[in-house]
C-alpha cells in the first residue's frame, strides 16, 4: 500500500480513533524499543562509556532542531490550508445567496425556475457533494447544475435598460459564484505532499531511536520514553487532523450552505421547480 492510500485510511477514522491509534502506536514502539532494541544497541556501542547521554545529545542537537522546525511548519501549513478551504466554502455560500437574491429582480417564470435550480444545487451540495468530498471525490452533478444555470441565464433577453443593468449584475454575481465553487472544489485535493509526510515519519522513527539510545535506569527510561512518544503521537495527530480539510469525519462541514438554506431558501421550498441535472 502506498503512502497516499495509507493516509486516506487513517483520515477515514473518527478523530478520537485516529488520536488513540497514533499515540498508542508510538508509545508501544518506544516501549518495544527500550525493552528489545536497547540491549542490542548497548552491545554495539559499548556499555562502559559514562558520557554516552552527553554524546547522544551533541550528536542529535541539530536533528532535533530541524525536526521540531519541520513539525511546526507543517502544523501551521495544515492549519492555513484548512482555514483557506473554510473561507472558500463561506465565499461560495455567500455568492450563492447573493445570486439567489438577484433572481428576485427577474420576471416570471424565469425567476421561479432559476431559484428552483439554485435550491436544487444547494441541496445537492449538502446531501450529495459533501459525502463524496468525505471520500475524496467530486461528483459531476454540481457541474451539470451550474451549466444548466449558465445556459438559462445566457438565454435571457433583457427588455429595457433596467433589466439590462440587473442582468449584467447577475452575470457578474454568477461569475463570482462559479469562481468560489471552483476554489471550494480545489479543497478536495488540498493536502500536505507525500514527500513531507515521508520525512515526518522517518524523523519520528529516528526520534524514537534517540530515546532508546539513552542510558537511564529502566523504569525512568520507560516513563521518559512513553511521555516523549505520546507527545510525538499527539503532534502527528494534530497535523493529520488538519490535513486534507474535506476528507473523512474530521473534514469541514457544509454549515454555510445549511445556514443559507434555512435562512433564505427554505421559505421558497414550495415554489415552482423544474429542470434537474444528473445526481452524479
Amino acid at each position: 500500500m502506498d503512502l497516499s492510500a495509507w493516509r486516506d485510511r487513517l483520515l477515514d477514522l473518527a478523530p478520537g480513533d485516529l488520536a488513540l491509534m497514533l499515540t498508542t502506536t508510538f508509545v508501544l514502539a518506544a516501549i518495544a524499543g527500550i525493552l528489545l532494541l536497547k540491549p542490542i544497541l548497548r552491545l554495539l556501542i559499548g556499555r562502559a562509556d559514562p558520557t554516552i547521554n552527553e554524546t547522544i545529545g551533541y550528536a542529535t542537537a541539530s536533528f532535533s532542531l530541524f525536526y521540531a522546525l519541520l513539525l511546526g511548519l507543517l502544523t501551521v501549513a495544515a492549519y492555513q490550508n484548512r482555514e483557506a478551504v473554510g473561507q472558500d466554502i463561506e465565499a461560495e455560500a455567500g455568492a450563492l445567496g447573493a445570486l439567489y437574491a438577484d433572481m428576485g429582480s427577474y420576471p416570471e417564470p424565469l425567476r421561479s425556475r432559476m431559484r428552483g435550480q439554485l435550491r436544487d444545487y444547494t441541496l445537492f451540495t449538502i446531501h450529495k457533494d459533501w459525502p463524496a468530498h468525505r471520500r475524496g471525490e467530486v461528483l459531476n452533478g454540481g457541474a451539470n447544475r451550474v451549466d444548466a444555470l449558465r445556459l438559462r441565464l445566457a438565454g435571457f433577453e433583457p427588455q429595457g435598460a433596467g433589466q439590462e443593468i440587473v442582468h449584467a449584475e447577475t452575470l457578474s454575481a454568477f461569475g463570482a459564484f462559479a469562481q468560489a465553487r471552483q476554489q471550494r472544489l480545489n479543497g478536495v485535493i488540498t493536502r500536505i505532499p507525500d514527500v513531507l509526510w515521508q520525512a515526518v515519519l522517518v524523523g519520528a522513527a529516528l526520534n524514537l531511536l534517540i530515546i532508546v539510545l539513552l542510558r537511564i535506569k529502566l523504569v525512568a527510561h520507560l516513563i521518559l520514553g512513553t511521555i516523549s512518544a505520546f507527545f510525538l503521537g499527539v503532534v502527528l495527530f494534530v497535523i493529520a487532523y488538519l490535513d486534507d480539510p474535506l476528507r473523512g469525519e474530521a473534514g469541514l462541514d457544509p454549515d454555510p450552505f445549511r445556514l443559507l438554506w434555512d435562512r433564505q431558501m427554505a421559505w421558497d421550498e414550495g415554489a415552482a421547480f423544474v429542470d434537474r441535472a444528473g445526481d452524479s
Side-chain angles (χ1 to χ4, degrees):
M1 182 187 301
D2 60 20
L3 183 59
S4 294
W6 174 80
R7 181 169 58 173
D8 288 342
R9 288 199 174 188
L10 287 183
L11 293 177
D12 288 337
L13 297 174
D17 294 338
L18 177 60
L20 180 62
M21 194 202 74
L22 287 176
T23 53
T24 301
T25 298
F26 280 99
V27 167
L28 291 178
I31 294 175
I34 293 171
L35 296 179
L36 303 177
L37 185 59
K38 182 179 178 179
I40 300 174
L41 294 176
R42 290 183 67 181
L43 291 176
L44 294 177
I45 63 177
R47 296 170 174 270
D49 187 357
T51 64
I52 183 64
N53 290 343
E54 184 177 351
T55 302
I56 293 173
Y58 281 130
T60 60
S62 297
F63 162 77
S64 300
L65 174 62
F66 285 116
Y67 187 63
L69 182 61
L70 173 63
L71 291 181
L73 291 176
L74 283 183
T75 303
V76 172
Y79 175 78
Q80 290 178 339
N81 286 343
R82 190 179 181 91
E83 286 294 296
V85 174
Q87 291 173 2
D88 293 336
I89 295 170
E90 294 175 359
E92 183 187 0
L96 183 60
L99 186 61
Y100 189 84
D102 288 343
M103 289 298 110
S105 301
Y106 279 75
E108 292 288 3
L110 181 62
R111 176 172 64 229
S112 294
R113 289 173 176 173
M114 288 292 293
R115 282 189 161 182
Q117 287 179 274
L118 290 172
R119 289 195 300 277
D120 178 47
Y121 174 84
T122 302
L123 290 177
F124 177 85
T125 300
I126 295 172
H127 299 295
K128 298 287 187 177
D129 234 1
W130 230 264
H133 293 349
R134 294 276 193 255
R135 303 188 300 270
E137 302 172 359
V138 177
L139 301 180
N140 294 327
N144 294 339
R145 285 162 170 78
V146 172
D147 289 340
L149 287 165
R150 183 181 290 108
L151 289 174
R152 179 151 279 167
L153 272 178
F156 176 72
E157 296 183 1
Q159 304 296 321
Q163 286 190 359
E164 288 181 359
I165 294 174
V166 170
H167 191 56
E169 292 179 351
T170 302
L171 290 176
S172 177
F174 182 86
F177 156 69
Q179 181 180 5
R181 177 180 183 275
Q182 186 58 49
Q183 290 175 338
R184 186 256 299 178
L185 294 180
N186 290 340
V188 178
I189 58 174
T190 297
R191 61 192 335 185
I192 295 173
D194 287 348
V195 65
L196 291 179
W197 271 112
Q198 292 169 356
V200 167
L201 294 178
V202 170
L206 292 177
N207 195 65
L208 292 177
L209 180 61
I210 291 170
I211 295 173
V212 171
L213 282 173
L214 294 175
R215 179 166 295 172
I216 313 174
K217 291 184 178 179
L218 180 59
V219 174
H221 203 173
L222 288 172
I223 294 174
L224 175 63
T226 299
I227 293 174
S228 301
F230 177 81
F231 183 70
L232 181 59
V234 169
V235 173
L236 294 186
F237 161 72
V238 171
I239 298 175
Y241 178 88
L242 296 175
D243 190 24
D244 217 337
L246 295 176
R247 177 87 190 202
E249 292 190 30
L252 294 169
D253 293 319
D255 291 338
F257 290 95
R258 293 194 183 110
L259 182 62
L260 172 64
W261 174 263
D262 293 338
R263 297 296 179 87
Q264 190 171 356
M265 294 182 173
W267 303 96
D268 300 327
E269 188 175 4
F273 177 72
V274 293
D275 292 346
R276 285 181 179 266
D279 282 343
S280 62

